[in-house]
């Protein structure tokens, strides 16, 4: 039996499969990057992970390695591009190179690593090999203080942008952790924020903020001026609802967003 489609129907079918491909492509790339034959790893139904690993964020270094934050083990893992483990550093605690829910990770001047240490309410700066450089921030709502810092991004002129889940704001620092400026108050109006979890900068140093509670992405100029926003619809996976919590701007300008489970009776996966 031969089924004929009109041009309009065929166009809709092609658009449907293009959307599926675009949605699945980042996951396929991630799966390929993390697979590898490691004796001390186990294979889940999708990717290879260190035992007990709960991955939160990753970056690809200039030399092609992968740095992955692991909230399950409170560590940072360095991987080859094929997913084989090079080394891990960190442990649970509040000391130097210790973490309590490491969040997003970014690379700054001299290839230093900047990590939001969420439940320790600080940012840690490490050398490329994991050696401690310094930490900045403490629990509070004053300038330079944090309430659950989550997202981090570094601009072309080495300013460090940090989003705060608890204080509903963005703070900006120099590369040494000295406070420069801030913006944001809790709300859903233009320029306001509600649980900003993940951030990234585009090539023009415009800041994209994934707001979990507002379920939208807000875009700001680097001085904090509001530029625009767009809503992201809640997506249902199995029996849970997912809201926007992660954002990445690709080198081609493609905006990639990801979600995590609603906290209303469901497990939060990040």
């Amino acid at each position: 039996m031969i089924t004929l489609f009109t041009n309009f129907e065929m166009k809709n079918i092609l658009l449907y499969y293009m959307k599926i491909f675009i949605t699945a492509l980042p996951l396929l790339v991630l799966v390929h990057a993390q697979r590898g034959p490691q004796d001390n790893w186990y294979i889940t139904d999708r990717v290879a992970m260190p035992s007990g690993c709960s991955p939160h964020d990753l970056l690809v270094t200039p030399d092609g390695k992968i740095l992955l934050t692991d909230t399950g083990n409170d560590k940072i893992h360095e991987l080859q591009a094929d997913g084989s483990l090079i080394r891990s550093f960190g442990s649970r605690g509040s000391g130097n190179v210790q973490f309590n829910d490491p969040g997003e990770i970014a690379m700054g001047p001299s290839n230093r690593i900047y990590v939001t240490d969420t439940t320790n309410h600080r940012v840690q700066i490490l050398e490329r090999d994991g050696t401690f450089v310094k930490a900045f921030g403490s629990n509070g709502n004053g300038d330079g203080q944090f309430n659950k810092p989550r997202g981090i991004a570094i601009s072309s002129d080495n300013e460090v942008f940090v989003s705060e889940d608890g204080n509903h704001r963005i703070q900006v620092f120099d590369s040494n952790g000295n406070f420069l400026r801030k913006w944001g108050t809790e709300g859903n109006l233009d320029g306001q924020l509600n649980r900003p979890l993940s951030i990234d900068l585009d090539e023009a140093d415009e800041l994209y903020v994934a707001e979990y509670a507002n379920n939208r992405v807000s875009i700001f100029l680097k001085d904090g001026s509001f530029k625009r926003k767009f809503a992201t619809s809640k997506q249902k996976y199995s029996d849970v609802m997912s809201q926007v919590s992660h954002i990445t701007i690709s080198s081609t300008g493609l905006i990639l967003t990801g979600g995590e489970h609603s906290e209303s009776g469901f497990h939060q996966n990040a």
Side-chain angles (χ1 to χ4, degrees):
M1 177 178 179
I2 299 175
T3 303
L4 299 178
F5 297 95
T6 66
N7 288 338
F8 178 78
E9 290 171 331
M10 183 59 71
K11 181 179 179 181
N12 284 339
I13 291 170
L14 291 174
L15 287 173
Y16 174 78
Y17 283 104
M18 285 177 66
K19 288 178 181 178
I20 292 176
F21 176 76
I22 291 172
T23 302
L25 181 58
L27 177 61
L28 293 174
V29 172
L30 182 62
V31 169
H32 175 74
Q34 292 183 350
R35 285 197 181 276
Q38 307 88 358
D39 291 338
N40 59 333
W41 286 37
Y42 71 93
I43 304 299
T44 70
D45 60 341
R46 290 187 179 180
V47 295
M49 292 291 178
S51 179
C53 181
S54 181
H56 185 92
D57 190 31
L58 63 79
L59 66 81
V60 179
T61 67
D63 59 352
K65 304 297 191 302
I66 298 169
L67 295 175
L68 175 74
T69 58
D70 174 2
T71 60
N73 294 309
D74 295 293
K75 294 180 181 295
I76 296 173
H77 304 293
E78 183 177 2
L79 316 173
Q80 298 284 4
D82 65 359
S84 56
L85 183 65
I86 299 172
R87 58 185 164 183
S88 301
F89 45 90
S91 60
R92 188 173 183 83
S94 58
N96 297 342
V97 202
Q98 291 186 321
F99 303 99
N100 194 342
D101 297 328
E104 291 197 350
I105 186 170
M107 185 163 282
S110 303
N111 288 334
R112 284 180 169 174
I113 302 165
Y114 292 67
V115 184
T116 52
D117 192 358
T118 301
T119 310
N120 282 328
H121 309 287
R122 65 182 182 178
V123 172
Q124 289 199 64
I125 306 175
L126 311 176
E127 296 289 2
R128 178 66 179 79
D129 62 1
T131 303
F132 179 78
V133 176
K134 70 180 299 183
F136 62 91
S138 60
N139 191 11
N141 58 13
D143 294 350
Q145 294 183 315
F146 297 116
N147 187 345
K148 293 187 176 180
R150 291 282 298 263
I152 191 165
I154 300 177
S155 67
S156 59
D157 56 357
N158 296 322
E159 288 187 340
V160 181
F161 294 72
V162 181
S163 65
E164 294 180 71
D165 187 351
N167 283 329
H168 310 284
R169 66 181 180 181
I170 304 295
Q171 291 197 76
V172 188
F173 303 84
D174 67 19
S175 59
N176 291 314
N178 298 308
F179 174 82
L180 298 176
R181 60 188 180 276
K182 65 183 178 184
W183 73 83
T185 56
E186 184 177 4
N188 59 11
L189 301 177
D190 291 352
Q192 293 184 317
L193 301 167
N194 198 338
R195 297 198 63 195
L197 299 191
S198 179
I199 60 176
D200 203 2
L201 291 156
D202 65 12
E203 290 187 351
D205 280 341
E206 292 183 356
L207 187 73
Y208 289 65
V209 184
E211 297 181 63
Y212 180 83
N214 282 333
N215 210 45
R216 69 184 183 187
V217 173
S218 290
I219 300 102
F220 298 86
L221 301 180
K222 62 180 298 184
D223 64 0
S225 301
F226 175 79
K227 187 171 182 180
R228 64 186 184 277
K229 67 188 177 190
F230 60 87
T232 57
S233 60
K234 293 183 181 181
Q235 301 295 321
K236 188 170 184 179
Y237 299 97
S238 184
D239 60 345
V240 296
M241 298 302 295
S242 181
Q243 295 173 258
V244 62
S245 60
H246 299 276
I247 189 165
T248 297
I249 312 299
S250 74
S251 59
T252 61
L254 187 65
I255 303 169
L256 306 174
T257 62
E260 64 184 33
H261 298 167
S262 170
E263 294 180 350
S264 300
F266 299 118
H267 173 66
Q268 185 176 340
N269 69 355

